[in-house]
Amino acid sequence: SVGSALTVTPPSYHGENRSEGSEAVPDVHNVFISHRHEDDALVSDLKSLLADRNVAIRDSSITSETPNNANNEAYIKSTILAPNINWAGKVIVIITPDTKNHQWVDWEIEYAEKQGKEIIGVWAPGSEGCDVPEPLEQHADSIVSWDADRIVGALEGNQKWEQPDGTPRTPQFVNRVGC
């Protein structure tokens, strides 16, 4: 999830899908979408999927549309990723066959958990049979299929544990401790 040009902080609020003159006001969710940069197209696909359900995603993640030029790992974490995750109310992790063991996705999940963020895993299309990143397995509040209603439900706090095809999977019990 680290791109190739400097991002602006506070994060740009791209992805607002508000229609001019529309009577229905969308539900707006401020999220950080954790993903591999090779999966940037899935970020747009996810926003489009949810826009069809009148849900607008204000996304602070780093994509090819909002890349960064940084190459210092500590700088990327403290100055780019951490503020964007802190701004977000929730973190969505797009699960693909190559998400497991991706150092940046793992760090984003672990950081989000330390900040008390709700973490939602979303299986990407074609992800059947792939492994869930270990930090997501340990810290997710929900893992749902690529289905707008299920994703919206997870954003609204309905905890579900699903396989990529939407069938139930064994839930992980998350022990969160408040301060």
Side-chain angles (χ1 to χ4, degrees):
S1 42
V2 177
S4 59
L6 184 60
T7 191
V8 178
T9 302
S12 60
Y13 304 126
H14 52 283
E16 288 186 307
N17 296 312
R18 297 177 187 263
S19 302
E20 290 292 322
S22 173
E23 290 183 23
V25 176
D27 290 332
V28 178
H29 294 273
N30 296 338
V31 300
F32 180 91
I33 301 175
S34 180
H35 65 288
R36 297 171 54 251
H37 69 86
E38 294 87 355
D39 297 326
D40 274 358
L42 291 170
V43 174
S44 295
D45 293 348
L46 177 64
K47 291 178 194 176
S48 296
L49 178 70
L50 296 176
D52 290 344
R53 293 291 191 277
N54 203 35
V55 173
I57 295 295
R58 296 195 308 177
D59 170 30
S60 65
S61 63
I62 310 303
T63 66
S64 57
E65 294 175 6
T66 59
N68 75 73
N69 273 336
N71 58 16
N72 177 294
E73 184 174 328
Y75 175 84
I76 292 168
K77 289 178 179 177
S78 67
T79 307
I80 298 172
L81 296 176
N84 290 358
I85 293 170
N86 290 340
W87 167 84
K90 298 174 179 151
V91 172
I92 293 176
V93 180
I94 297 178
I95 307 167
T96 65
D98 295 319
T99 305
K100 185 174 175 75
N101 298 323
H102 189 273
Q103 73 171 357
W104 292 104
V105 171
D106 288 352
W107 184 87
E108 291 161 355
I109 295 166
E110 302 234 1
Y111 183 81
E113 192 277 329
K114 289 175 186 167
Q115 303 311 307
K117 302 295 179 180
E118 187 172 334
I119 302 168
I120 301 164
V122 177
W123 294 102
S127 58
E128 292 79 9
C130 75
D131 292 327
V132 174
E134 188 61 33
L136 185 61
E137 196 72 71
Q138 293 172 0
H139 304 301
D141 293 286
S142 295
I143 297 180
V144 297
S145 61
W146 191 272
D147 175 272
D149 292 331
R150 289 184 167 113
I151 298 167
V152 169
L155 286 168
E156 292 173 348
N158 300 324
Q159 293 185 346
K160 290 206 180 271
W161 293 88
E162 298 178 336
Q163 298 291 349
D165 65 2
T167 58
R169 76 189 293 259
T170 305
Q172 294 295 112
F173 296 98
V174 179
N175 183 18
R176 301 249 177 165
V177 178
C179 296

